[in-house]
Amino acid sequence: MKKFSHLAIPYIVWSLIMLLLPMLLLVLYAFTETGNDIVTFSFTLKYFKKFFTDPDFLLVLWRSLKIAFKTTVICIFLAYPVAYFIANSSDKLRNILVLAITLPMWINMLVRTYAWIGLLSDGGILQRLLEMLGFGTHKLLYTEGAVLLGMVYNFIPFMILQINTSLCKMDKSLKEASFDLGANRVQTFFKVTLPLSLPGVVSGISLVFLPAVSSFFIPKLLGGGQYFLIGNIIENQFITVGEWNFGSAISMIMAVIMMCSMYLVRRIEDRVSGNKKEETARK
């Protein structure tokens, strides 16, 4: 145990420096009056008041929550059929499909998002394809649809993998018992498969919604600076404007929103798991 504790010291030091210290600095900047000087301290809440009293900032926050919600819903409806197909495939095919899902994730997310600029740009492949299909010429890049597409593309693998893991862990004998009791495939899916896979769906929601609501480079690249989200405002306050205090205050607000979201997701997951245990005990 002593040897193990000594080996853990570098990791603990690294965590304190790289994780805890930045968070403490954010708190310090958010609640102090000074600019970039942390020598003097003057407690204030004016930066939080500035955010909540300005309708423009609240509009951006609402827009960020809305597009994160849309991204999550789309990912659920697209990912579940894919995960269901993967989970019901043979072991060899399942491994190939999981590799196909995770392979794009080996490439940096920024590079993958840059690729969509060429696909969605005027005269790009997708625009020409729509023209060939008779849909006319439509602006694809620098729109809300482009930002939503980039969000779904980058975050849907997390949803697929979580749901697939939940489906693979499911006891197959429960489906067989459902068929033996006279239920058809549709009834078995809604009565057995879907309820047992909900923990994976809930975990996928947390892995999609949280990064989507705070993303800044996807709307910056695919929105062309015309579609601002809360992450872009935080980046702008730190890098362009130099309002570190206000940027820290917004970061603190987003941190609270994320923690509340994680708590809510955890409560839902615990309730789903509790219902599963109660049903198992009754059986």
Side-chain angles (χ1 to χ4, degrees):
M1 292 296 294
K2 291 183 178 180
K3 184 178 180 181
F4 175 77
S5 62
H6 291 319
L7 293 175
I9 290 177
Y11 174 76
I12 295 174
V13 173
W14 181 88
S15 300
L16 291 174
I17 296 175
M18 303 301 295
L19 300 177
L20 183 60
L21 182 59
M23 289 301 300
L24 292 177
L25 289 176
L26 280 179
V27 174
L28 178 64
Y29 282 125
F31 290 99
T32 54
E33 180 71 30
T34 55
N36 297 339
D37 181 13
I38 61 174
V39 177
T40 57
F41 301 94
S42 178
F43 179 81
T44 182
L45 295 174
K46 74 173 187 178
Y47 300 108
F48 295 93
K49 181 180 179 181
K50 177 181 178 181
F51 181 84
F52 286 109
T53 55
D54 192 323
D56 292 334
F57 293 129
L58 295 177
L59 179 63
V60 173
L61 176 61
W62 168 248
R63 183 188 301 157
S64 302
L65 294 172
K66 183 173 67 172
I67 198 167
F69 176 78
K70 290 181 179 179
T71 301
T72 305
V73 172
I74 293 174
C75 284
I76 291 174
F77 282 100
L78 293 180
Y80 201 101
V82 176
Y84 186 83
F85 177 77
I86 294 175
N88 288 278
S89 302
S90 61
D91 292 340
K92 183 177 180 180
L93 180 58
R94 185 186 305 130
N95 293 333
I96 295 174
L97 293 175
V98 171
L99 179 63
I101 295 297
T102 56
L103 192 60
M105 300 172 65
W106 297 0
I107 305 173
N108 187 276
M109 190 180 295
L110 184 62
V111 176
R112 286 185 279 134
T113 305
Y114 265 114
W116 277 104
I117 296 179
L119 294 173
L120 298 174
S121 60
D122 295 338
I125 297 176
L126 291 181
Q127 192 177 73
R128 292 181 181 180
L129 181 61
L130 291 176
E131 291 176 358
M132 291 175 57
L133 295 175
F135 290 100
T137 303
H138 297 279
K139 185 175 179 61
L140 302 177
L141 191 62
Y142 304 146
T143 61
E144 180 181 351
V147 176
L148 189 59
L149 177 62
M151 294 276 197
V152 172
Y153 169 75
N154 280 296
F155 299 132
I156 195 171
F158 301 110
M159 183 71 73
I160 294 175
L161 295 176
Q162 290 297 316
I163 297 176
N164 175 64
T165 301
S166 184
L167 289 171
C168 290
K169 290 181 178 179
M170 186 176 63
D171 189 356
K172 305 298 182 183
S173 63
L174 295 175
K175 295 176 63 176
E176 297 174 359
S178 177
F179 292 137
D180 292 339
L181 292 173
N184 56 34
R185 291 185 177 274
V186 176
Q187 291 173 327
T188 300
F189 175 78
F190 284 103
K191 295 292 185 179
V192 179
T193 306
L194 183 60
L196 292 177
S197 63
L198 284 181
V201 176
V202 173
S203 298
I205 289 174
S206 62
L207 291 178
V208 172
F209 181 83
L210 296 180
V213 76
S214 59
S215 178
F216 67 93
F217 69 87
I218 295 177
K220 186 174 183 178
L221 294 178
L222 300 182
Q226 304 173 22
Y227 194 81
F228 253 55
L229 298 183
I230 198 70
N232 301 109
I233 292 183
I234 295 173
E235 180 198 22
N236 188 56
Q237 296 300 318
F238 278 102
I239 298 178
T240 305
V241 180
E243 286 276 351
W244 287 23
N245 302 82
F246 188 46
S248 299
I250 302 176
S251 300
M252 290 294 300
I253 294 170
M254 291 306 301
V256 172
I257 292 175
M258 289 183 179
M259 287 189 290
C260 293
S261 302
M262 291 177 64
Y263 174 76
L264 180 61
V265 168
R266 180 60 61 185
R267 288 293 301 271
I268 296 174
E269 187 174 2
D270 291 341
R271 180 171 297 181
V272 170
S273 301
N275 292 337
K276 280 175 55 182
K277 292 179 180 178
E278 289 179 2
E279 291 178 3
T280 304
R282 285 198 297 266
K283 294 177 181 179

